[in-house]
Amino acid sequence: MKCKDFEKMLYLYRFNELTKAEKNQLDNHLEICQSCRGIKQKIHQQLELINSLKQEPYFDNQEHLAENIVRSIKKSAKFQQYQENAIDKILDLFTWKPVRLALVASILAILGVFIIQEAFILQRMSRMEQRLVTRAQLEKNQTAAIEDVSSQLINILPSANEHVVIDKKLLEQFILSYSELQKRNKLLLKLIEDQAEELVDVSLNDGLTKEEIKKILESEKLIKKVREL
Amino acid sequence: MKDDIQRLIKDAQAGDESAFRRLVENYQLFVYNLAFRLLTNQEDAKDVVQECFVRVWKNLTKFNVKKKFTTWLYKIVINLCYDDLRRAYNKYKCDPIEKEESLNLLVEKTSFEEKISNLDLAHKIKLISCHLKPQQRMVFVLRDLQDLKMDEIAHILKISVGTVKSNLYYARLNIRKKCEQMELIK
């Protein structure tokens, strides 16, 4: 064991908190260690100092303290009783039949208002949901129609010197589809624009060659031309 | 004496106000001493006495008469003082200069007796224990000033005897250092 360990024991030695074996061990060490004997001396002084602090502190007015404590307990008990009484009074109100009926009626009324409100909200939500479904269906149909028209146009692409006649109705559908596409499907629009630039502006009665179509396209965009129609 | 106390407690448990009053009279000084040694302030100690017996009254019906009444009082006082001790320790940590100045006043005196006698008891306890952590301070007060046994302290503070010993060692070591610093011991 080192001196530090014995020092720890010394603090308990002076206060009789060591076992007999520990005490013997420490005594043997103290015989040979001057430094630890010095610490022991200091601890002895410390013990004296602490003993001097054991005197009882002065306690004035202690004869009234018990009285004060009992009074304060009574006061708090009274207050507690007053609180309990107040709660009892409020609870007593509910034993009166008209009050109970009024309470039940108001609870039912609140419940009724709540249920009606909920029903309205549910109804509105289901209508909104229905509208959304219809709209989605419509959009789906329109997109399908546009794709259909576009594919028809693509199918009738003229070859280099071939004349092509496009049906007026088909053209109108295409215009319609085109403007619709402008609004909502940029990718498809790009596809049709690319095809259209290659292909078409149309004389309604006579077919045009691809070269003639291209010339017209060079001067004006398809969509402007179509709008003039 | 023990029987008398048990009878007083039983009567007080039954709602006998005068029995409770006698119980307070018997133990008020005991509670005051402990609170004073822990808080080193007369007014705070008085407040603790008041609050302690209010708690005793509120919980007296739950108290087992076969157990030691003073141990219960110790527990209540320790609980009531713990927050104040923690606050005092934190304050000391934040503002040690102010404390050191008061220590210097002590060093100016020449003899050991004079140094001690010039201060009141509260000041003395405060000077040597203000730097202790709350648990160390509680162990120091319970062991060295109240002369409680190790196992009793462990029971009151709800810690092991080993922890009590360890706290006691550090408390005494710190007190020694402080006393050396103030030249109270040489």
Side-chain angles (χ1 to χ4, degrees), chain B residues 63-176:
Chain B
F63 178 69
N64 183 354
V65 191
K66 286 171 189 168
K67 289 188 177 171
K68 218 173 162 185
F69 187 60
T70 48
T71 307
W72 189 38
L73 290 178
Y74 269 119
K75 283 182 184 177
I76 295 174
V77 176
I78 289 288
N79 282 337
L80 287 171
C81 294
Y82 185 74
D83 284 343
D84 284 342
L85 284 179
R86 209 179 47 195
R87 263 195 296 276
Y89 178 66
N90 289 338
K91 201 178 164 192
Y92 174 83
K93 274 203 301 186
C94 295
D95 187 19
I97 300 158
E98 191 190 321
K99 306 289 172 193
E100 295 304 329
E101 279 170 2
S102 62
L103 298 181
N104 290 339
L105 287 175
L106 197 69
V107 178
E108 282 166 16
K109 308 291 174 192
T110 49
S111 74
F112 173 77
E113 281 78 16
E114 206 180 334
K115 283 169 195 170
I116 296 300
S117 62
N118 281 346
L119 299 161
D120 65 333
L121 186 63
H123 200 181
K124 286 179 220 167
I125 300 173
K126 201 184 224 173
L127 280 177
I128 65 160
S129 64
C130 64
H131 62 300
L132 298 181
K133 286 179 182 173
Q135 200 171 52
Q136 285 176 11
R137 192 159 164 180
M138 287 192 291
V139 171
F140 160 69
V141 170
L142 293 180
R143 177 69 191 136
D144 289 346
L145 301 182
Q146 295 287 127
D147 289 324
L148 282 189
K149 287 177 188 166
M150 292 293 213
D151 52 349
E152 277 182 301
I153 299 171
H155 175 64
I156 289 163
L157 298 180
K158 292 177 188 163
I159 53 178
S160 68
V161 175
T163 314
V164 174
K165 276 192 178 182
S166 166
N167 273 299
L168 197 57
Y169 162 69
Y170 284 111
R172 286 168 179 172
L173 181 70
N174 289 330
I175 288 171
R176 200 195 93 198

Side-chain angles (χ1 to χ4, degrees), chain A residues 146-147 149-155 157-158 174 178 188-201 210 213-214 217 222:
Chain A
I146 291 160
E147 280 170 3
V149 172
S150 310
S151 65
Q152 281 184 51
L153 280 167
I154 290 160
N155 287 337
L157 267 174
F174 176 73
Y178 187 88
L188 202 56
L189 175 69
K190 183 81 174 60
L191 183 75
I192 290 175
E193 269 183 341
D194 289 348
Q195 289 162 0
E197 275 192 27
E198 273 186 35
L199 94 79
V200 195
D201 185 43
K210 194 173 181 178
I213 290 166
K214 274 186 179 173
L217 278 173
L222 162 73

Side-chain angles (χ1 to χ4, degrees), chain A residues 5-160:
Chain A
D5 301 317
F6 284 112
E7 189 189 330
K8 197 168 182 176
M9 285 167 80
L10 271 170
Y11 280 98
L12 304 172
Y13 174 82
R14 291 301 310 171
F15 300 83
N16 301 321
E17 286 138 2
L18 291 179
T19 61
K20 209 173 176 182
E22 285 173 326
K23 208 175 168 186
N24 287 338
Q25 209 177 4
L26 185 61
D27 283 338
N28 291 337
H29 176 75
L30 285 172
E31 277 177 24
I32 54 164
C33 182
Q34 198 178 354
S35 153
C36 286
R37 279 203 299 274
I39 294 171
K40 186 186 166 191
Q41 183 60 32
K42 280 183 181 175
I43 292 172
H44 181 71
Q45 287 179 24
Q46 184 180 340
L47 182 66
E48 281 180 351
L49 173 67
I50 289 172
N51 280 337
S52 76
L53 301 178
K54 279 184 184 172
Q55 66 185 80
E56 287 192 350
Y58 177 65
F59 187 13
D60 59 339
N61 291 328
Q62 56 175 298
E63 61 278 7
H64 301 301
L65 193 75
E67 191 59 45
N68 288 343
I69 290 167
V70 172
R71 203 182 301 138
S72 86
I73 288 169
K74 273 185 181 172
K75 209 174 166 184
S76 82
K78 265 185 193 170
F79 180 67
Q80 206 176 343
Q81 203 175 8
Y82 169 77
Q83 277 183 322
E84 280 167 7
N85 286 346
I87 293 165
D88 282 345
K89 276 179 190 169
I90 292 166
L91 289 175
D92 281 348
L93 270 179
F94 293 103
T95 57
W96 198 34
K97 205 176 175 183
V99 173
R100 282 207 315 248
L101 285 173
L103 193 73
V104 170
S106 52
I107 290 170
L108 286 175
I110 291 166
L111 212 64
V113 169
F114 177 74
I115 290 168
I116 291 166
Q117 208 177 8
E118 282 297 302
F120 268 117
I121 290 168
L122 278 175
Q123 207 178 5
R124 280 172 69 182
M125 275 173 70
S126 82
R127 256 188 247 154
M128 208 184 290
E129 205 177 336
Q130 226 168 5
R131 246 181 273 155
L132 281 171
V133 169
T134 319
R135 199 169 153 186
Q137 190 60 44
L138 198 71
E139 279 181 8
K140 203 178 164 185
N141 292 343
Q142 280 175 345
T143 312
I146 291 160
E147 280 170 3
D148 187 42
V149 172
S150 310
S151 65
Q152 281 184 51
L153 280 167
I154 290 160
N155 287 337
I156 53 164
L157 267 174
S159 59

